Amino acid sequence: RSKKNLKICGAISNMYAMLLARYKMFPEVKEKGMSSVPRLVAFTSEHSHFSIKKGAAALGIGTESVICIKADERGKMIPSDLERRIIEAKQKGYVPFFVSATAGTTVYGAFDPLMAIADICKKHDIWMHVDGAWGGSLLMSRKHRWKLNGVERANSMTWNPHKMMAVPLQCSALLVREEGLMQSCNQMQACYLFQQDKQYDLSYDTGDKALQCGRHVDIFKLWLMWRAKGTIGFEAQIDKCLELSEYLYNKIKDREGYEMVFDGKPQHTNVCFWYLPPGVRYLEDKVEKMKRLHKVAPVIKARMMEYGTTMVSYQPQGDKVNFFRMVISNPAATFEDIDFLIEEIERLGQDL
């Protein structure tokens, strides 16, 4: 049975999941602190969001206790490497307590193999968290929800309606399988705020579940939009964004001057590609070509911002030089907008 608790952002939702996993395994940590528990280690993909390490730092677990698992060429966590690293950690005397799988990585939009990861977590008795901040909303889509197969086996999940569903910032949900765990983990029973003899049902008094005291009622924005659009409305919105990203991919995958960062159709709306201007396209010296190409995306983005026509993010990844990462999450976007984007990149990069 899952309970939904609204937090301020995906990073905090991920930290709450880590907090709950630690408390579930070692409830004494709440009163006695980290000195009462053994050396804990967490596991996440090398392509995961930085908030996993940030959460470990904030909770006193330490960033060095977060072990990054290898991802394949599409950015998905490799389950065999996860199990290998868990066994290795146990042999060193560490206690694995938390695995964070990612449903929709920030750069590639990759979905980790949740079913295989769930099997490993069950085998080794480790809390399984799914960071679905970016990709979790695909559960709304009958066409695309298969990408999250296995999420129902997780102990917790982060989901950000303020991303793919366009709910105004901030609106992030943490879904927790075990009812009452968040309350027992975080409650301080401050009698001057959380009286037990109120005239209404105390289950509505959720403030003692959270680390914050006062905060916005973020769930109202989601509730209001869901009432207005319905699940079918959100589904249409999400399907359209994925259709637009596939349209962009199909337009540029074989177009002269474009090169995809990884083979195959993107799983999410992240379309990762290089634009090679004529001055770079025909260089035979590979080292010089990569050196020049690394500078292309930043210059084109700067020009985009100067002209005010569009803006597309870029970044390097591992040994890959700067590439464009076009992410489509605005349901108002059109096929004509995608056509314009391609033409604009070529116009702004012709002389490079």
Side-chain angles (χ1 to χ4, degrees), residues 38-41 64 67 86 88-96:
R39 170 74 184 272
L40 302 177
V41 286
E64 287 185 3
I67 297 170
I86 289 171
E88 194 178 87
K90 285 181 174 180
Q91 288 169 346
K92 289 178 180 177
Y94 304 153
V95 177

Side-chain angles (χ1 to χ4, degrees), residues 157-178:
M157 177 188 176
T158 291
W159 164 46
N160 282 10
H162 69 225
K163 289 193 169 81
M164 277 300 289
M165 291 161 66
V167 174
L169 284 167
Q170 303 253 2
C171 186
S172 176
L174 177 67
L175 301 159
V176 183
R177 176 173 295 283
E178 185 175 332

Side-chain angles (χ1 to χ4, degrees), residues 248-263 271-278 280-282 289 293 296 300 304 312 323-324 326 338-350:
L248 172 60
Y249 166 73
N250 287 331
K251 287 271 290 191
I252 64 174
K253 65 177 180 177
D254 299 316
R255 190 180 179 100
E256 187 182 8
Y258 289 86
E259 191 176 322
M260 306 310 298
V261 172
F262 53 83
D263 293 331
V271 184
C272 300
F273 62 92
W274 288 283
Y275 172 67
L276 288 77
V280 175
R281 204 171 298 169
Y282 306 110
K289 188 173 186 176
L293 183 58
V296 169
I300 292 177
M304 285 175 173
V312 183
F323 55 85
F324 283 112
M326 178 59 186
I338 303 300
D339 293 337
F340 171 78
L341 171 69
I342 295 167
E343 290 162 10
E344 189 69 351
I345 288 171
E346 292 172 357
R347 181 180 79 85
L348 297 173
Q350 274 299 311

Side-chain angles (χ1 to χ4, degrees), residues 9-139:
C9 66
I12 300 299
S13 292
N14 286 338
M15 190 185 79
Y16 268 97
M18 191 174 281
L19 182 70
L20 292 173
R22 182 177 66 178
Y23 176 78
K24 176 69 176 174
M25 188 173 279
F26 296 102
E28 64 270 25
V29 75
K30 181 177 176 180
E31 287 83 21
K32 297 178 182 176
M34 285 297 288
S35 62
S36 67
V37 301
R39 170 74 184 272
L40 302 177
V41 286
F43 305 84
T44 193
S45 161
E46 61 183 352
H47 281 233
S48 67
H49 194 261
F50 71 86
S51 59
I52 303 301
K53 284 192 173 182
K54 182 175 272 192
L59 295 176
I61 294 163
T63 58
E64 287 185 3
S65 296
V66 178
I67 297 170
C68 291
I69 306 303
K70 289 177 185 173
D72 64 19
E73 68 282 352
R74 291 292 303 262
K76 299 167 181 281
M77 187 195 289
I78 300 171
S80 59
D81 190 55
L82 171 63
E83 184 153 40
R84 181 181 71 82
R85 299 302 297 273
I86 289 171
I87 292 167
E88 194 178 87
K90 285 181 174 180
Q91 288 169 346
K92 289 178 180 177
Y94 304 153
V95 177
F97 82 108
F98 183 81
V99 171
S100 179
T102 312
T105 59
T106 306
V107 179
Y108 285 4
F111 288 77
D112 286 343
L114 303 182
M115 202 66 83
I117 292 168
D119 287 341
I120 293 167
C121 289
K122 184 179 179 183
K123 179 180 174 182
H124 294 278
D125 196 22
I126 303 173
W127 182 286
M128 178 184 171
H129 174 64
V130 175
D131 178 3
W134 175 219
S137 295
L138 266 58
L139 288 170

Side-chain angles (χ1 to χ4, degrees), residues 132-152:
W134 175 219
S137 295
L138 266 58
L139 288 170
M140 293 274 182
S141 167
R142 286 166 290 185
K143 184 178 179 181
H144 296 285
R145 65 171 58 140
W146 63 270
K147 296 167 188 176
L148 287 104
N149 284 349
V151 71
E152 68 281 358

